[in-house]
Structure formats: C-alpha cells, structure tokens
Amino acid sequence: MEEEKRRQICSNCDRPKPICICHVIPSEPIATKTEILILHHPHESRHKLNTTPLLVKSLTNITTISGRRLRHHHISASLPKPSRTIYLFPPSPSSPAVTLSDFKSQNRTTSDPPPPVRLIVFDATWKHAKEMVKASEEVLREAGAVRVCLDAGIDESVSGGSIYDSELFLRMEPVGGCVSTAEAVARCLGALEVDGEEIERKLISVLKEMVRLQSEFLKPMRPRPKLLKKRLQIQQEEE
C-alpha cells in the first residue's frame, strides 16, 4: 500500500508521471557547436520548477556542475581555436556586458561556420547568482571570458514576471527582464548557432509544455503591483 501511494516518476524525464514531458523532449538530443556549462546552485536542484534538467535532456553539448563558484578545472578543457568563452549575466556599473546581438556581430569571421563558443550560465536565484558571479570573477577573468547579456536587459526598479508570463504565475522572478535558465540558454543558442532559430523554438516548446502541465497543479499567483504598473505604462506607450 505504501508503495502504491508514492508518486510514480517517469524514468526518462525524471518528473512525476502526471506532468511527464517526454512527448515534447527531442527524441534525439540537439547537437550544438556551442559548449554549454551550467553552474547549478545546490538549492536549485530541490526546486520543482528548475529548468536546467530540461536542457540536459534536450541538448548534447552541455555540462552541469553543482556548486557556488567556478573553479579553474571546470573550464580548463581547451576548445578548438579560434574560440571564445562567454558568461551570461546582466551588466552592472562596474562590470559592463556586451549584448548577444553585438557579440554575434563582433564574433563574425570570414570563415563559415563561425568559431565555437563556450557559454557559461549561472543557475540560481537572483541573489545567489550575483554571489556566484562575484565568487567566480578571478576564474572568468583568467579564462578571458566575455560578459554578455540578453538584448532585452533587466529593470531592477520593478518586480519580475514569471516563467513564461501567462494567466498563471508559476515562479516569480525578482526583477523585470529576468528569465528562466532554459529560456536564457534557448535565446543564446538562437543567436549563436547557425540554425539557432529552430533550436530556440524547440527548447521554448519544451519549456512551455512544462509550464502548462505544472500550472494544472498550482494555485494562481497575482502579479505584483509594480509589475502591473510597468506593464500598463508599456501598453500605453505602444498605443
């Protein structure tokens, strides 16, 4: 009886069977020239809405490391030359960042396809991610890593939205412009890969389905007042 009461977990996607997403995970993991390295904060592994496992199931050229800072041996493996190492994080007054579109333009060469890139992503809450980046600065600097950010940027003056804003808010982001790890990686690959648009579309479809299924088991959360006010201002400006 006790065994029957336990939640049944899908052996493939490692999610409870009622919210199994195997039907949208690519049957063959997607190969990319971009090498993806995700530093995964230990607390995130316990969060049911963490999206890094979706990426691991969907991509081939990806490595996840559990920890609070990068170590030299994490990124000591050499990439084919020429190549670049970038890490995804918003800019700050002391640490500017290059937008993805600008990096793509700067990284263009006469060769086809473009040189490979190692993408480092910090998977954590906003507070923890800032701490992880600061703790990893020396390693990133010695690796010659370039700080890049999504073109949309962030706005710390307003509260954030959710994983895929919809009628149901699954996981509130801390500030405007923040996105889930899966969405961030999808958008990066969309800019970096030759067939990036198709890769981004596939990853986003997996994320959307995860959110749709999870929403059936969570209570709705109302968006925060500051976020609503900011959205209303944007709508009025567009009109």
Side-chain angles (χ1 to χ4, degrees):
M1 289 295 293
E2 285 298 319
E3 191 68 30
E4 293 177 0
K5 290 180 180 179
R6 293 179 184 173
R7 277 196 311 181
Q8 291 187 321
I9 304 296
C10 173
S11 60
N12 183 46
C13 69
D14 301 319
R15 296 179 63 78
K17 288 197 173 179
I19 53 175
C20 168
I21 54 172
C22 288
H23 58 289
V24 289
I25 291 177
S27 55
E28 292 291 334
I30 303 167
T32 63
K33 290 190 176 298
T34 304
E35 176 191 328
I36 304 151
L37 174 63
I38 298 180
L39 185 63
H40 191 57
H41 194 282
H43 291 177
E44 282 297 296
S45 62
R46 299 194 293 267
H47 202 294
K48 59 188 175 185
L49 293 178
N50 181 260
T51 60
T52 291
L54 304 184
L55 296 172
V56 174
K57 296 290 184 182
S58 302
L59 300 168
T60 59
N61 200 5
I62 182 169
T63 303
T64 60
I65 300 168
S66 180
R68 291 176 170 83
R69 67 167 62 192
L70 280 175
R71 307 287 182 179
H72 287 92
H73 65 272
H74 291 155
I75 55 177
S76 59
S78 60
L79 286 170
K81 300 295 182 182
S83 61
R84 301 289 298 276
T85 295
I86 62 177
Y87 68 103
L88 183 66
F89 206 72
S92 68
S94 60
S95 300
V98 179
T99 63
L100 268 176
S101 57
D102 285 345
F103 175 81
K104 183 178 180 180
S105 298
Q106 295 170 10
N107 204 43
R108 282 201 186 111
T109 65
T110 55
S111 62
D112 187 23
V117 172
R118 174 193 282 131
L119 170 65
I120 299 173
V121 180
F122 296 87
D123 181 27
T125 62
W126 179 238
K127 176 179 179 293
H128 286 151
K130 288 193 286 187
E131 294 172 353
M132 292 161 72
V133 170
K134 186 174 182 180
S136 305
E137 282 180 345
E138 181 181 346
V139 173
L140 291 168
R141 183 171 57 252
E142 292 181 3
V146 176
R147 187 167 180 160
V148 300
C149 62
L150 300 179
D151 288 40
I154 65 167
D155 186 349
E156 294 193 57
S157 66
V158 299
S159 300
S162 66
I163 293 177
Y164 262 92
D165 290 339
S166 62
E167 294 179 359
L168 187 78
F169 285 74
L170 293 180
R171 187 176 184 184
M172 195 66 70
E173 301 293 355
V175 294
C178 285
V179 297
S180 69
T181 299
E183 183 180 354
V185 170
R187 289 168 65 178
C188 285
L189 294 178
L192 297 173
E193 293 289 310
V194 174
D195 52 349
E197 289 186 8
E198 179 63 13
I199 293 174
E200 181 178 359
R201 184 193 65 77
K202 289 180 179 179
L203 293 177
I204 293 299
S205 68
V206 176
L207 177 61
K208 281 185 172 181
E209 182 65 359
M210 186 204 82
V211 172
R212 185 189 71 79
L213 292 170
Q214 193 73 51
S215 69
E216 297 177 4
F217 297 89
L218 295 178
K219 293 180 180 180
M221 292 174 60
R222 292 185 176 278
R224 300 169 184 173
K226 285 186 179 179
L227 181 59
L228 285 174
K229 183 178 179 181
K230 184 71 174 181
R231 286 178 179 166
L232 181 59
Q233 290 175 348
I234 293 175
Q235 290 176 357
Q236 290 174 343
E237 289 173 359
E238 290 178 347
E239 293 173 354

